[in-house]
Amino acid sequence: MSEQYPPPPSPEQGGYPTTPGSTPARMPGPMPGPMPGPMPGSMPGPMPGSPAAMPGQPVAGAPVSRPAPITMAVRLMYVGALLSLIGVLVTFTLADTIREQVQKAAVDAGTAMSSTALDTAVAVAVGVGAVSGLVGAALWLLMAWANGRGKSWGRIVASVLFGLSVLSFVTGLAQGTQPTLALVLSVLTVALGAFIIVLLWKKESSAYYAAQSAPRY
């Protein structure tokens, strides 16, 4: 049986020692030369599954196309600015109606008004109406600019302004002092504003605001 297996090599032949006190055999060392590594200056690629490695995924902060609800809302805001300018013109044509309302209010209150005071009151009312219409048109244009560019504050300000316009409309309707033409313009403006607010708060619009507010890299 022992002849089938050769004896182990002796220490002189480089084999492992079998007697105490002998010098241990040296294990083979590493191969000479540096270990292969990445090329100098090369950056590691994106990890699999990261947004940069997935085709078709938008990068955070990248420009996003404007959705259809925002586009429609901006166009309707221009229509609202036009209605405000029409309201300015209507205010100048209602000078006689305003005069009659001021006279009636003075009579109901038992106060006598001179013609000069009456003219002054009418001029002030017309001026306030004209200035309000111009300011309203400017606000419409500002909201169109802000929301068209996805400014989150623009949607919030537009919602607040709509709430104020509804409050003003309800107050004027309760007083019953608005002329018919002015009342029609007010109804159109409130209805237009309500539809615009619905468009601004749609899911696609919210995603657009979030994308436009994301940091740029």
Side-chain angles (χ1 to χ4, degrees):
M1 295 295 291
S2 60
E3 295 179 355
Q4 295 180 359
Y5 300 95
S10 64
E12 290 78 11
Q13 295 177 345
Y16 296 101
T18 58
T19 61
S22 61
T23 304
R26 182 177 299 176
M27 297 296 292
M31 296 296 293
M35 295 296 292
M39 295 297 293
S42 62
M43 297 296 293
M47 296 295 294
S50 62
M54 298 179 64
Q57 294 293 329
V59 181
V64 180
S65 59
R66 183 192 298 174
I70 295 292
T71 300
M72 182 178 296
V74 169
R75 292 175 180 173
L76 293 178
M77 287 176 183
Y78 290 131
V79 175
L82 180 60
L83 289 177
S84 295
L85 294 178
I86 293 175
V88 172
L89 299 178
V90 170
T91 300
F92 288 105
T93 64
L94 296 175
D96 293 337
T97 303
I98 295 174
R99 181 183 297 274
E100 294 176 359
Q101 290 179 350
V102 171
Q103 286 178 334
K104 183 178 183 302
V107 170
D108 293 341
T111 304
M113 294 185 65
S114 62
S115 58
T116 303
L118 183 59
D119 292 339
T120 302
V122 172
V124 169
V126 172
V128 169
V131 171
S132 298
L134 294 176
V135 171
L139 289 176
W140 278 113
L141 296 177
L142 177 61
M143 292 298 98
W145 174 85
N147 289 280
R149 283 158 180 78
K151 306 292 183 181
S152 297
W153 61 265
R155 178 168 64 168
I156 296 174
V157 173
S159 302
V160 172
L161 292 176
F162 172 70
L164 294 176
S165 66
V166 171
L167 182 61
S168 176
F169 171 74
V170 172
T171 302
L173 195 63
Q175 294 176 352
T177 58
Q178 282 186 321
T180 303
L181 188 54
L183 181 61
V184 171
L185 286 176
S186 297
V187 171
L188 290 177
T189 301
V190 171
L192 183 67
F195 186 53
I196 289 174
I197 295 302
V198 171
L199 293 174
L200 294 182
W201 288 95
K202 278 183 169 291
K203 183 178 180 180
E204 309 94 294
S205 303
S206 298
Y208 176 68
Y209 287 113
Q212 292 299 96
S213 301
R216 308 290 179 179
Y217 296 105

